[in-house]
Amino acid sequence: MWKHFLSKLPKKSLKSESVDSGRGNSDSHSPNASSNLGPGRPNSVPRRTSSVVFPASVIAGIEPLISFKDVPSSEKMNLFISKLSLCCVDFDFRDPTKNVAEKELKRATLFELLDFVSANPPKFSEPAILALCKTCAVNLFRVFPPNYRSNNSHASENDDEEPTFDPAWPHLQIVYDLLLKFVTSSSLEAKVAKKYINHQFILKLLDLFDSEDPRERDCLKAILHRIYGKFMVHRPYIRKSISNMFYRVVFESEKHNGIAELLEIFGSVVTGFALPLKEEHKIFLSRTLIPLHKPKSLGIYFQQLSYCINQFIEKDPKLASTVIRGLLKYWPITSTQKEVMFLSELEEILEVINMAEFQKVMVPLFWRIGCCINSYHFQVAERALFLWNNDQIVNLIAHNRHVILPIIFPAVESNAQNHWNHAVQNLSLNVRRMFSEMDDVLFLACHSHYKEEEEKINLESKKRKEAWEQLETAASLGPPVAGNIAVLVTTLATSITC
């Protein structure tokens, strides 16, 4: 509360100023003091003394409401610290009618600080770095209110709802801009700043990524990316901390608002990895990125996740088979939307995979694709058949047709004859025609084998039906067992299939 703070400076008369009267409680040395507060920006008046200041903000006799242009260069850094301390006072922005003048003064001071940092000031001293980190911590680091959607098992169904916006965002945005300018400033030495922008500071920043406000997450993304680039000593810790956040999403909560932004950061980080890739990075791919396909909220961050994985494969093509095995491990069975996303990602991987890696996974891969082709959901079947529109994938299939065609032919033939959707039927006929043109002899052999298997299946079905009919007849004609009631099994009951 601003009422708690008063200046330790002596009072001066303000004859030529128009100010709003304010009152507050002083510190232990002046319990009955009162103060005046100007409503406008501080640089509108050359020099004035305000009693509503942080006691610690008075550095070397410099009052924080003085403009930077009104002090010599040697004193600007001290004034910078004074203004930062002034901005450490927090307000309740839920009530727009409360502390209006003080909020406006703080906003104006934050703009002054932003202009100062943007204007290439002299090297920041340790007290200045400490003061800015403290100001950012006081204003930014906070615990978000509980949200019922975070614990809802059907959270992905509520994504269309409006996010919750912090009423203090107009001030938070300026603080974020100030921190971004500070981190990217050439006046900031990383060797000095790393003591204050430390692991604890970075962890608090990462916690803020769970904000529901996309504007705040965008600011955090830019700041964390710059910190990662400037503070090389913190890079392993940042990667480890983000990995832990991903683990919590996969194995515990299945919901986090900032996964997409964190994956965007990693997408640019992966492009800077040196070759050959370290074992640490490969482990991150297999244990962290690939399991991120599991949560129900995959659709929120699927595009960023797919980009990260493709960057890994571009760096090391041998990882393509590892990724495909991971996709098959986490392949969705009951979510058709996720199945379509998996097929889209699979196509992107198959476009860049080499022949050796493809041959390692082609058998289980095309068994799964065959299941997708036979899906009763037309979008899944259609998306799987669209793979044959890709020349690179057709080339891979053609070179390995003796293995792939016997696996995939029954699904294609069954679709061409029986699928309920006409578009899927037409696509299946096109793929069937491609197989015929690719290798007519192999096609005829597969077709003959399919007919034989179909006859076997029909024969077994016929025998099973006859056996049930015999049982029904025997049950309807035979005497009931003593002490029990006979139940007649009708033809209708036996004709129901799953």
Side-chain angles (χ1 to χ4, degrees), residues 88 112 148 165 169 186 231 264 319 355 375 403 426 439 445 456:
C88 284
E112 277 193 276
Y148 76 95
F165 296 118
W169 174 248
S186 58
F231 297 89
E264 281 187 43
L319 294 173
M355 190 63 70
S375 173
V403 177
N426 292 333
D439 191 330
K456 287 181 181 179

Side-chain angles (χ1 to χ4, degrees), residues 226-468:
R226 296 298 188 274
I227 290 176
Y228 187 92
K230 189 159 191 169
F231 297 89
M232 296 184 65
V233 68
H234 292 327
R235 289 182 181 182
Y237 179 79
I238 293 174
R239 292 197 298 268
K240 181 180 177 181
S241 299
I242 294 178
S243 296
N244 291 336
M245 295 174 69
F246 290 162
Y247 289 145
R248 286 195 293 272
V249 171
V250 173
F251 300 109
E252 294 178 11
S253 65
E254 289 199 355
K255 185 73 169 65
H256 191 284
N257 293 313
I259 296 298
E261 287 77 12
L262 292 171
L263 286 171
E264 281 187 43
I265 295 173
F266 252 104
S268 58
V269 167
V270 172
T271 58
F273 284 164
L275 294 176
L277 287 176
K278 296 180 181 179
E279 191 64 24
E280 169 200 348
H281 303 324
K282 295 179 181 178
I283 291 174
F284 175 78
L285 170 67
S286 60
R287 296 184 182 178
T288 307
L289 290 184
I290 293 177
L292 277 174
H293 289 84
K294 181 182 176 182
K296 296 177 182 178
S297 56
L298 172 66
I300 299 174
Y301 55 83
F302 172 74
Q303 185 178 356
Q304 292 84 357
L305 177 60
S306 179
Y307 177 77
C308 278
I309 288 178
N310 285 330
Q311 291 299 309
F312 269 100
I313 296 174
E314 286 184 13
K315 287 284 183 179
D316 187 355
K318 292 182 180 180
L319 294 173
S321 58
T322 303
V323 173
I324 291 177
R325 288 193 191 98
L327 290 176
L328 295 176
K329 177 181 178 181
Y330 294 104
W331 198 275
I333 303 300
T334 59
S335 175
T336 54
Q337 291 180 346
K338 286 182 67 175
E339 235 176 330
V340 172
M341 288 188 281
F342 272 53
L343 288 167
S344 299
E345 184 173 0
L346 197 59
E347 181 175 7
E348 293 180 4
I349 296 171
L350 292 177
E351 284 182 349
V352 297
I353 196 173
N354 58 45
M355 190 63 70
E357 297 300 315
F358 175 75
Q359 290 173 346
K360 292 179 183 178
V361 295
M362 61 183 180
V363 174
L365 173 61
F366 276 88
W367 275 112
R368 174 54 63 188
I369 292 175
C371 293
C372 293
I373 290 174
N374 277 144
S375 173
Y376 287 111
H377 196 288
F378 78 97
Q379 289 181 336
V380 176
E382 193 175 56
R383 188 64 188 83
L385 290 166
F386 278 157
L387 294 174
W388 274 263
N389 291 340
N390 191 302
D391 294 337
Q392 173 65 14
I393 296 176
V394 171
N395 184 51
L396 292 170
I397 294 172
H399 279 83
N400 300 277
R401 59 186 180 275
H402 293 284
V403 177
I404 295 174
L405 192 52
I407 296 173
I408 211 73
F409 183 84
V412 175
E413 188 69 16
S414 175
N415 265 12
Q417 295 178 9
N418 305 317
H419 203 280
W420 65 270
N421 186 273
H422 293 296
V424 173
Q425 273 190 333
N426 292 333
L427 287 170
S428 300
L429 289 171
N430 290 337
V431 172
R432 188 178 184 276
R433 190 180 306 112
M434 291 175 67
F435 284 154
S436 178
E437 295 172 356
M438 192 181 293
D439 191 330
D440 189 51
V441 176
L442 180 60
F443 174 82
L444 291 175
C446 290
H447 188 269
S448 175
H449 183 264
Y450 174 78
K451 289 294 184 183
E452 292 175 3
E453 291 295 321
E454 194 176 41
E455 289 177 2
K456 287 181 181 179
I457 292 172
N458 292 335
L459 182 61
E460 290 177 359
S461 178
K462 185 178 179 181
K463 288 180 178 179
R464 187 164 56 250
K465 185 177 180 180
E466 290 175 352
W468 276 107

Side-chain angles (χ1 to χ4, degrees), residues 7-236:
S7 175
K8 292 183 179 180
L9 294 177
K11 296 281 184 176
K12 294 183 180 179
S13 60
L14 304 175
K15 298 180 180 178
S16 61
E17 297 180 8
S18 175
V19 296
D20 294 331
S21 177
R23 54 191 181 85
N25 297 326
S26 67
D27 56 17
S28 59
H29 297 289
S30 52
N32 299 318
S34 61
S35 62
N36 292 329
L37 181 65
R41 290 186 61 135
N43 57 3
S44 61
V45 179
R47 294 180 71 91
R48 68 179 177 182
T49 302
S50 171
S51 59
V52 191
V53 294
F54 235 105
S57 68
V58 182
I59 307 296
I62 296 182
E63 206 278 324
L65 293 186
I66 300 174
S67 176
F68 279 105
K69 64 183 180 181
D70 294 327
V71 297
S73 299
S74 59
E75 296 295 337
K76 285 186 177 180
M77 198 56 65
N78 289 334
L79 179 59
F80 178 70
I81 298 173
S82 294
K83 289 180 180 291
L84 285 171
S85 298
L86 180 68
C87 293
C88 284
V89 182
D90 201 9
F91 296 105
D92 182 9
F93 286 88
R94 290 172 295 181
D95 185 0
T97 63
K98 191 177 180 181
N99 303 112
V100 177
E102 290 89 342
K103 291 175 183 176
E104 186 58 34
L105 174 60
K106 179 180 177 181
R107 180 180 173 85
T109 305
L110 286 171
F111 274 122
E112 277 193 276
L113 291 168
L114 181 60
D115 293 340
F116 177 76
V117 174
S118 303
N120 295 322
K123 296 290 182 182
F124 289 109
S125 61
E126 283 199 44
I129 298 172
L130 174 60
L132 191 134
C133 290
K134 178 186 175 184
T135 302
C136 292
V138 170
N139 287 276
L140 300 179
F141 300 160
R142 62 204 189 279
V143 178
F144 296 114
N147 188 348
Y148 76 95
R149 285 184 289 164
S150 300
N151 299 321
N152 192 348
S153 60
H154 303 287
S156 60
E157 299 176 3
N158 298 326
D159 293 334
D160 293 335
E161 295 185 15
E162 288 294 327
T164 302
F165 296 118
D166 196 320
W169 174 248
H171 280 238
L172 291 176
Q173 184 179 18
I174 308 171
V175 180
Y176 276 121
D177 291 342
L178 175 62
L179 180 56
L180 178 61
K181 289 290 184 181
F182 179 72
V183 171
T184 57
S185 174
S186 58
S187 302
L188 179 66
E189 294 183 353
K191 291 181 180 180
V192 179
K194 68 181 181 181
K195 293 188 291 186
Y196 306 102
I197 301 179
N198 51 20
H199 289 180
Q200 185 179 5
F201 187 89
I202 292 170
L203 194 60
K204 291 290 187 181
L205 276 180
L206 288 172
D207 289 340
L208 294 175
F209 272 91
D210 203 19
S211 169
E212 288 196 6
D213 194 336
R215 302 168 299 180
E216 183 168 12
R217 298 199 301 269
D218 284 339
C219 292
L220 288 163
K221 178 180 66 176
I223 291 168
L224 186 63
H225 194 189
R226 296 298 188 274
I227 290 176
Y228 187 92
K230 189 159 191 169
F231 297 89
M232 296 184 65
V233 68
H234 292 327
R235 289 182 181 182

